[in-house]
Amino acid sequence: MTKKKYYAYSINGKEGIADDWPRCQKLVSGMVNARYKGFETKGEAERWLKAGADYGVKHIAGEKGIYFDAGTGAGKGVEISVTDENGNGLLDKVLKKKEINHRGNHWILNGSTNNFGELLACKYALEIALKKKIKKVFGDSKLILDYWSKGYIKKTTNGETVDLSNEVKKLRYEFEKKGGEMKHISGGSNPADLGFHKD
């Protein structure tokens, strides 16, 4: 079953949200200066319009917090991203400048898996949240949120990954003890999303 999408449009100052592509297409087709974009939620479509219908804005999260993601689509290895709700990179809060690439992200070039990258990004997100006293951390990997960040990982998994899982478990315990909350968000709504996967 195809997921429902919402299409925000802005045509010479007139804005709106269509609940299907044919309706949006009819409105924008042939119109000069028409701007339009599809979203998974109506709220995200509304926030894009409020931000000026700017194509440079990938995602605008609905809640204040720290967001994390990892991806392998750029071809150099695993890349991780940790941002605020507006997509501003935060890795400079926990990594040295030389460890951050030109996009504000961090490369893991040792042959690690995407799941390892998600777990490492989760670690950094928790460290930043604890340091900045931010109460919500969001990720789009259910494996990381529901299992690995809680220490539920097969002992046959790579030793480095098991060690990292145990480290993240301790950070998560401290974070939640101080009132923090970890939440799932879809990849399409995640401001840290690297765009290397589909939901």
Side-chain angles (χ1 to χ4, degrees), residues 15 27 29 33 36 83-84 106 128 144 152 164-165 171 179 192:
E15 296 180 342
L27 291 166
S29 184
N33 300 322
Y36 52 94
T83 75
D84 66 13
H106 174 69
I128 295 164
I144 301 307
Y152 302 136
L164 181 59
S165 175
L171 285 167

Side-chain angles (χ1 to χ4, degrees), residues 69-102:
D69 189 34
T72 56
K76 288 185 177 179
V78 177
E79 186 174 5
I80 66 171
S81 171
V82 179
T83 75
D84 66 13
E85 61 277 6
N86 296 314
N88 300 310
L90 298 173
L91 285 169
D92 62 335
K93 310 292 183 227
V94 291
L95 295 176
K96 295 175 184 165
K97 188 175 181 178
K98 66 180 182 181
E99 297 175 297
I100 299 171
N101 69 23
H102 65 285

Side-chain angles (χ1 to χ4, degrees), residues 12-25:
N12 299 318
K14 180 185 174 194
E15 296 180 342
I17 299 170
D19 58 5
D20 62 47
W21 172 240
R23 182 168 165 241
C24 181
Q25 185 178 28

Side-chain angles (χ1 to χ4, degrees), residues 39 41 43-44 47-48 57-67 83-87 138 185-186 188-192:
F39 296 92
T41 68
E44 192 175 16
R47 290 189 295 276
W48 183 73
V57 175
K58 270 179 64 178
H59 308 288
I60 302 174
E63 294 185 67
K64 182 174 174 54
I66 309 287
Y67 294 77
T83 75
D84 66 13
E85 61 277 6
N86 296 314
F138 299 84
I185 189 168
S186 72
S189 298
N190 185 353

Side-chain angles (χ1 to χ4, degrees), residues 8-181:
Y9 60 87
S10 177
I11 310 162
N12 299 318
K14 180 185 174 194
E15 296 180 342
I17 299 170
D19 58 5
D20 62 47
W21 172 240
R23 182 168 165 241
C24 181
Q25 185 178 28
K26 187 175 178 181
L27 291 166
V28 300
S29 184
M31 298 297 292
V32 177
N33 300 322
R35 299 175 76 77
Y36 52 94
K37 188 171 179 179
F39 296 92
E40 294 177 11
T41 68
K42 190 172 184 180
E44 192 175 16
E46 288 168 349
R47 290 189 295 276
W48 183 73
L49 288 172
K50 198 177 229 182
D54 181 356
Y55 285 129
V57 175
K58 270 179 64 178
H59 308 288
I60 302 174
E63 294 185 67
K64 182 174 174 54
I66 309 287
Y67 294 77
F68 69 90
D69 189 34
T72 56
K76 288 185 177 179
V78 177
E79 186 174 5
I80 66 171
S81 171
V82 179
T83 75
D84 66 13
E85 61 277 6
N86 296 314
N88 300 310
L90 298 173
L91 285 169
D92 62 335
K93 310 292 183 227
V94 291
L95 295 176
K96 295 175 184 165
K97 188 175 181 178
K98 66 180 182 181
E99 297 175 297
I100 299 171
N101 69 23
H102 65 285
R103 288 195 293 268
N105 300 328
H106 174 69
W107 287 110
I108 309 169
L109 303 173
N110 65 357
S112 294
T113 65
N114 187 70
N115 288 332
F116 180 88
E118 291 272 3
L119 186 61
L120 185 60
C122 180
K123 174 192 167 187
Y124 293 146
L126 286 166
E127 287 177 348
I128 295 164
L130 285 163
K131 188 184 283 190
K132 298 285 184 186
K133 296 184 172 134
I134 293 171
K135 297 297 183 187
K136 292 184 180 175
V137 170
F138 299 84
D140 56 38
S141 170
K142 289 192 176 199
L143 174 69
I144 301 307
L145 293 170
D146 295 345
Y147 300 99
W148 286 15
S149 67
K150 295 178 179 180
Y152 302 136
I153 188 169
K154 291 180 182 176
K155 300 304 174 198
T156 56
T157 306
N158 169 297
E160 185 181 8
T161 306
V162 172
D163 291 345
L164 181 59
S165 175
N166 289 327
E167 190 179 346
V168 173
K169 175 186 173 183
K170 290 175 189 170
L171 285 167
R172 180 173 181 161
Y173 176 78
E174 182 183 351
F175 174 68
E176 291 179 334
K177 189 176 176 186
K178 292 181 177 181
E181 183 181 4

